[in-house]
Amino acid sequence: MRMFVEPSDIYLYLGNVDFRKSINGLIVVVEQQMALNPFRDALFVFCNKKRDKLKVLYWDKTGFALWYKRLEKHRFKWPSDTELQHMHLSEQQLQWLLSGFDVIGHSPLNYKASGL
């Protein structure tokens, strides 16, 4: 995913997000549910309950930006793990996810604890 930033980390939120939430609502999820700093050099990736919409939140040093993708006929292959709030992804795994591939099937995910 080419953006205006080159993040050092990519975090995938495993829970469902109400897609009426915009930047401010997603910042609250990052801070309270993921226990992470939304101002860090990272992308925060969220999905809706139907798994056909995706939002990416990031801080670009001047403000927050929100990227949105909707699939017309398919669903994102969203990993599920009831013990974790979020997963740490590589840039390649994010590319696979955005392309409709199962990120777990391609390579093992790097699980990180909150606040790293």
Side-chain angles (χ1 to χ4, degrees):
M1 174 175 179
R2 289 288 165 216
M3 302 181 127
F4 301 111
V5 294
E6 302 240 354
S8 58
D9 292 305
I10 302 168
Y11 294 98
L12 187 73
Y13 181 69
L14 294 178
N16 299 325
V17 172
D18 179 350
F19 262 43
R20 293 175 291 183
K21 290 183 189 292
S22 191
I23 290 173
N24 291 340
L26 294 174
I27 289 171
V28 170
V29 172
V30 171
E31 291 175 332
Q32 294 180 1
Q33 300 295 318
M34 299 172 76
L36 296 170
N37 179 356
F39 293 95
R40 70 185 300 156
D41 182 24
L43 299 180
F44 301 97
V45 185
F46 305 93
C47 199
N48 67 334
K49 188 174 184 177
K50 288 175 54 179
R51 304 289 189 232
D52 63 341
K53 297 178 183 110
L54 183 100
K55 285 186 178 181
V56 178
L57 175 73
Y58 61 96
W59 172 255
D60 75 354
K61 309 286 188 260
T62 62
F64 284 98
L66 189 61
W67 187 85
Y68 183 105
K69 181 171 183 172
R70 180 183 74 195
L71 296 177
E72 294 300 322
K73 296 182 181 179
H74 302 285
R75 300 191 190 286
F76 290 105
K77 309 285 191 283
W78 207 256
S80 62
D81 189 319
T82 57
E83 295 180 20
L84 297 174
Q85 288 290 325
H86 64 275
M87 292 179 171
H88 187 261
L89 297 179
S90 69
E91 191 172 333
Q92 182 62 59
Q93 288 170 317
L94 178 61
Q95 292 298 326
W96 287 329
L97 179 70
L98 294 175
S99 298
F101 296 109
D102 184 352
V103 295
I104 294 175
H106 277 88
S107 65
L109 290 172
N110 180 15
Y111 292 86
K112 286 192 174 181
S114 296
L116 293 179

